[in-house]
Amino acid sequence: MTLQIESFQEYKKVYKESVEKPEKFWAAQARTFTWMKKWDKVLEWNFKKPDIKWFIGGKLNITENCLDRHLKSRGKQTALIWEPNDPSRPYQSYTYQELYEEVCRFANALKSNGIKKGDRVCFYMPMVPELAIGILACARIGAIHSVVFAGFSANALADRIKDASCKMVVCSDYNSRGAKNIPVKEIVDEALNQGCKSVETVIVHKNTGGAVKMKKNRDKWWHDVLKGQKKECKPAKMDSEDILFILYTSGSTGTPKGVVHTCGGYMVYTCFTFKNVFQYKKGDVYWCTADIGWITGHSYIVYGPLLAGATTIMFEGVPTYPDPGRFWHVCEKHRVNQFYTAPTAIRALMAQGDQWPGHYDLSSIKVLGSVGEPINSEAWHWYDEKIGKGKSPIVDTWWQTETGGILISPLPGLHKLKPCYAQLPMPGIQPCLVDAEGKEIKKKEAEGLLCIKFPWPSMIRTTYGDHERCRQVYFSTFENLYFTGDGARRDKDGHYRIIGRVDDVINVSGHRIGTAEVENAINEHAQVIESAVVGFPHDIKGQGIYAYIITDGPVADKEVFKKEVNAVVTEVIGPIAKPDRIQIVAGLPKTRSGKIMRRILRKVAAGEADQIGDVSTLLNPEVVDSLKEGQKEAL
Ligand code: 7RM
């Protein structure tokens, strides 16, 4: 098993070693896994190209490490607990032996349906056990999974299927989330009608049992393809640098990009960080409330916990259904020891009152985690007092889709906590702050752009089908550094506090949304001439979406217009990208070279127009006053 650090002293020692001799450090971690063939060389890297390779020449299968490896020692231990949306339905659980068998059966079904090593399989599913089984089955046979969050629209799904040329889509009939029933299969059909020529087969998991149309020779039921499949499936021999999965994420420009993670490094890093950040001990029950549609679900519901032989919970529902006590009810019911969620959920539940956690026995909780966005002080303290009862350390974990695993986080019980700080780098992680020119700020106490100087095993390798984009977005801003897109502050003890994105990415309820994507969607509305989207502070969501829109004439009914804009955004991207506020404007502040001055738009949206300062260099300084006026009546 990978190293579990047990004291702050040890952390300091291990960190020092990991930075002085990274290859030795990571080789020692990697050695604790099952390899079909040992690697020849630990690391080769070049941030210019970029070209990053870990455990070169090594052969492995991540599922052999998630499943087979545990069968002897914990075959009867629960691997996965599934808690359904409807609390009156029974929960399900799978032992390691059972999960192993289910994964093998579906892996065989994939093979029977023409899926081979290297093929891309898209998953568009709710949080049901079959989603975890499905992606592990892909990994078992060397197929590449691309999970698309089931809240995205048919349009967004089609774009992602096409970008990765997926050969198969796995979905469910319907998705029940809270009181809603979402016709998942119908959305898939709509997406596939948009020219997804690569898709040969659609496998449909019967979730709610509602009626769906099945297309002949293309659509098959999950339970049918499993018929007669063997409970054993030889794991494919994968190279360390073969692709494990693609996961799409938003950036400041253009369409979402497919972040690529590879087998060897991702395995070593997610297991190592899971064990250390959550201080997981044998027998503990761990729950991460994320959706597998995001990286947090990939790394810390499925791979990290299973690699570490943990018991991991998968939750189908939402925090407020049937009432705002649901999370705490689940914690009590399964005696959860580590609980990992997002600040937006904490704020939403905090707003419902202290009585909800008060109804439940939360004494099993040992560690609390936060991820996805900066956690504000009020939420941190509520989480600490009302959920952790002042005795469960909070780990504020900072990382990204691109980093594959947690890079900066306190280690619970080891580090002295500093509220709202992600604190210190994990072993092997070398963060730095740079100024706008890319010069490293050596002074300890500083604020700057967060970069990473040295590779770590689970870092992004490329953006699928477009390596140049990967270079340009992450490795070209500053020479020889990985640029995170985040700004951060560092205190005199070297602890980091993440401030947030410095690019045109908005973090809405912990979800990354590119302003350009939302603008493109809004511009699809027939009456829209131009739009500009910025983030603004939002009490629950962290950031909300604020859209400035120029229309081709007066808008007759503003409420109808707002509904139409929301509808078009929902259609192009999905409901998560709907603007919270819309301001119809006559013009946008522009520089003489025609660039929109987003800084001004952000200030107006935040109601801080008094801080705008000098606007005389603008091409059209007169619009600023009318923007300020209009903000008060924004829809
Ligand atoms: C894991 C995940 C990444 C962006 C990242 C940050 C923000 C994530 C924290 C955070 C402050 C944190 N992946 N972010 N964690 N900001 N404190 N603990 O969220 O790719 O979807 O988003 O999220 O801006 O760049 S992600």
Side-chain angles (χ1 to χ4, degrees):
M1 271 290 177
T2 40
L3 169 72
Q4 191 167 43
I5 301 168
E6 279 167 354
S7 68
F8 188 61
Q9 241 18 56
E10 189 186 357
Y11 162 78
K12 282 199 293 195
K13 183 177 142 268
V14 169
Y15 183 78
K16 191 162 173 278
E17 288 166 4
S18 75
V19 167
E20 283 169 359
K21 292 194 170 130
E23 299 178 30
K24 185 171 171 227
F25 174 76
W26 288 116
Q29 301 316 312
R31 237 176 263 126
T32 65
F33 293 85
T34 301
W35 294 80
M36 296 168 175
K37 176 187 168 285
K38 207 192 151 204
W39 57 91
D40 306 311
K41 195 175 173 200
V42 179
L43 171 67
E44 269 176 23
W45 68 290
N46 174 336
F47 274 2
K48 274 203 175 59
K49 290 184 176 171
D51 182 14
I52 297 126
K53 296 194 189 91
W54 282 90
F55 312 114
I56 300 153
K59 305 284 175 193
L60 75 148
N61 189 292
I62 195 167
T63 69
E64 194 174 12
N65 285 279
C66 288
L67 302 167
D68 311 44
R69 179 166 74 125
H70 302 311
L71 294 183
K72 253 210 186 119
S73 59
R74 27 165 93 75
K76 293 200 176 78
Q77 183 201 305
T78 304
L80 184 71
I81 296 173
W82 177 71
E83 176 66 31
N85 178 59
D86 176 354
S88 67
R89 282 178 61 198
Y91 68 89
Q92 285 173 22
S93 55
Y94 295 78
T95 63
Y96 270 93
Q97 180 68 38
E98 288 162 346
L99 187 61
Y100 163 83
E101 290 173 8
E102 290 306 314
V103 168
C104 286
R105 286 173 71 216
F106 194 65
N108 288 324
L110 287 172
K111 281 204 237 172
S112 308
N113 281 279
I115 299 300
K116 293 187 195 66
K117 185 169 169 175
D119 287 342
R120 275 81 55 214
V121 177
C122 174
F123 288 82
Y124 185 74
M125 284 177 102
M127 285 286 286
V128 290
E130 287 73 13
L131 173 54
I133 291 165
I135 65 173
L136 290 165
C138 281
R140 186 82 178 170
I141 64 168
I144 299 167
H145 55 79
S146 168
V147 182
V148 176
F149 174 60
F152 281 117
S153 69
N155 244 292
L157 172 62
D159 288 347
R160 287 156 176 78
I161 291 172
K162 284 186 242 178
D163 189 79
S165 318
C166 295
K167 201 166 165 185
M168 178 186 273
V169 177
V170 184
C171 66
S172 51
D173 51 4
Y174 290 82
N175 173 4
S176 36
R177 252 175 91 73
K180 284 191 213 140
N181 192 27
I182 303 142
V184 176
K185 171 63 165 61
E186 204 179 296
I187 298 170
V188 170
D189 288 338
E190 204 186 317
L192 295 185
N193 280 337
Q194 296 180 28
C196 299
K197 295 201 189 72
S198 57
V199 176
E200 293 171 8
T201 316
V202 177
I203 295 189
V204 187
H205 170 250
K206 195 171 259 184
N207 185 32
T208 67
V212 294
K213 281 195 204 108
M214 297 291 275
K215 188 170 166 179
K216 231 181 146 203
N217 298 328
R218 187 195 71 182
D219 302 351
K220 297 178 182 178
W221 288 106
W222 173 286
H223 54 264
D224 284 338
V225 300
L226 277 182
K227 278 186 192 140
Q229 299 293 355
K230 289 207 181 69
K231 294 187 287 192
E232 305 270 314
C233 172
K234 208 171 149 239
K237 194 171 182 176
M238 303 298 286
D239 189 272
S240 294
E241 286 301 333
D242 278 339
I243 300 180
L244 174 63
F245 66 84
I246 304 169
L247 186 60
Y248 287 84
T249 191
S250 294
S252 47
T253 55
T255 50
K257 43 194 179 287
V259 171
V260 169
H261 285 291
T262 58
C263 297
Y266 180 82
M267 169 177 80
V268 173
Y269 196 80
T270 53
C271 181
F272 176 78
T273 48
F274 171 75
K275 283 194 66 176
N276 284 284
V277 170
F278 299 102
Q279 288 291 305
Y280 185 87
K281 299 278 162 20
K282 195 164 185 200
D284 283 351
V285 175
Y286 161 88
W287 181 21
C288 165
T289 69
D291 191 292
I292 292 177
W294 312 109
I295 191 70
T296 307
H298 281 63
S299 302
Y300 299 111
I301 295 177
V302 183
Y303 288 111
L306 295 179
L307 286 163
T311 300
T312 178
I313 299 184
M314 211 178 142
F315 175 48
E316 186 186 26
V318 296
T320 49
Y321 180 83
D323 62 50
R326 187 66 195 276
F327 273 4
W328 322 126
H329 185 193
V330 175
C331 285
E332 176 185 276
K333 181 171 167 188
H334 297 291
R335 302 298 293 159
V336 168
N337 301 111
Q338 290 89 2
F339 177 76
Y340 191 29
T341 197
T344 187
I346 300 168
R347 288 189 298 263
L349 296 177
M350 181 171 79
Q352 302 286 328
D354 300 349
Q355 70 277 21
W356 293 106
H359 291 324
Y360 301 96
D361 174 8
L362 301 177
S363 61
S364 58
I365 294 177
K366 296 193 284 188
V367 176
L368 294 171
S370 171
V371 61
E373 48 175 323
I375 180 165
N376 52 306
S377 168
E378 202 192 346
W380 196 98
H381 288 287
W382 186 84
Y383 201 28
D384 178 40
E385 285 160 28
K386 299 295 181 274
I387 311 304
K389 320 284 182 197
K391 64 160 184 62
S392 307
I394 297 175
V395 288
D396 178 358
T397 64
W398 173 83
W399 59 298
Q400 308 177 299
T401 306
E402 295 85 345
T403 70
I406 295 164
L407 297 198
I408 305 183
S409 171
L411 298 183
L414 281 59
H415 288 29
K416 193 169 172 295
L417 294 186
K418 198 167 170 172
C420 309
Y421 273 70
Q423 299 195 261
L424 293 171
M426 293 301 292
I429 304 304
Q430 302 186 33
C432 66
L433 295 177
V434 303
D435 63 20
E437 276 71 53
K439 233 183 96 213
E440 183 174 349
I441 308 169
K442 295 277 187 188
K443 204 173 147 257
K444 267 254 165 101
E445 222 178 329
E447 191 174 313
L449 303 167
L450 182 62
C451 294
I452 317 288
K453 286 199 234 185
F454 194 84
W456 62 100
S458 67
M459 74 182 297
I460 181 172
R461 297 299 195 270
T462 189
T463 43
Y464 193 77
D466 191 353
H467 193 63
E468 169 57 16
R469 190 161 177 207
C470 173
R471 187 195 67 79
Q472 205 258 325
V473 174
Y474 307 103
F475 298 93
S476 74
T477 320
F478 306 116
E479 208 181 323
N480 266 319
L481 295 174
Y482 165 80
F483 177 44
T484 66
D486 281 321
R489 201 170 297 148
R490 187 170 54 209
D491 72 6
K492 60 177 190 342
D493 304 316
H495 291 244
Y496 288 87
R497 178 188 184 130
I498 313 301
I499 300 165
R501 305 290 307 192
V502 295
D503 53 9
D504 293 320
V505 171
I506 317 181
N507 195 325
V508 184
S509 303
H511 300 152
R512 267 166 77 168
I513 297 172
T515 53
E517 278 174 79
V518 185
E519 288 162 6
N520 290 339
I522 293 172
N523 297 349
E524 297 269 307
H525 187 288
Q527 248 183 301
V528 174
I529 303 274
E530 193 180 1
S531 63
V533 166
V534 295
F536 73 103
H538 188 288
D539 284 348
I540 303 287
K541 299 180 179 184
Q543 277 190 302
I545 300 178
Y546 197 110
Y548 295 89
I549 301 180
I550 303 176
T551 53
D552 65 358
V555 172
D557 187 329
K558 290 187 174 160
E559 284 308 319
V560 170
F561 179 71
K562 184 179 178 175
K563 281 206 185 93
E564 289 171 359
V565 168
N566 280 338
V568 79
V569 173
T570 301
E571 195 186 316
V572 177
I573 308 173
I576 55 172
K578 279 191 296 197
D580 296 279
R581 303 198 72 187
I582 291 173
Q583 183 176 343
I584 299 169
V585 295
L588 293 165
K590 292 200 174 165
T591 62
R592 286 177 202 282
S593 59
K595 265 188 78 168
I596 296 173
M597 285 287 281
R598 288 174 189 278
R599 186 181 60 81
I600 292 176
L601 296 179
R602 281 193 282 264
K603 285 288 174 208
V604 172
E608 295 170 349
D610 52 315
Q611 294 172 22
I612 289 174
D614 183 27
V615 295
S616 60
T617 57
L618 286 181
L619 185 69
N620 50 353
E622 70 285 352
V623 301
V624 178
D625 280 333
S626 68
L627 285 178
K628 286 190 218 169
E629 271 311 300
Q631 189 260 349
K632 295 176 198 122
E633 289 127 47
L635 307 167

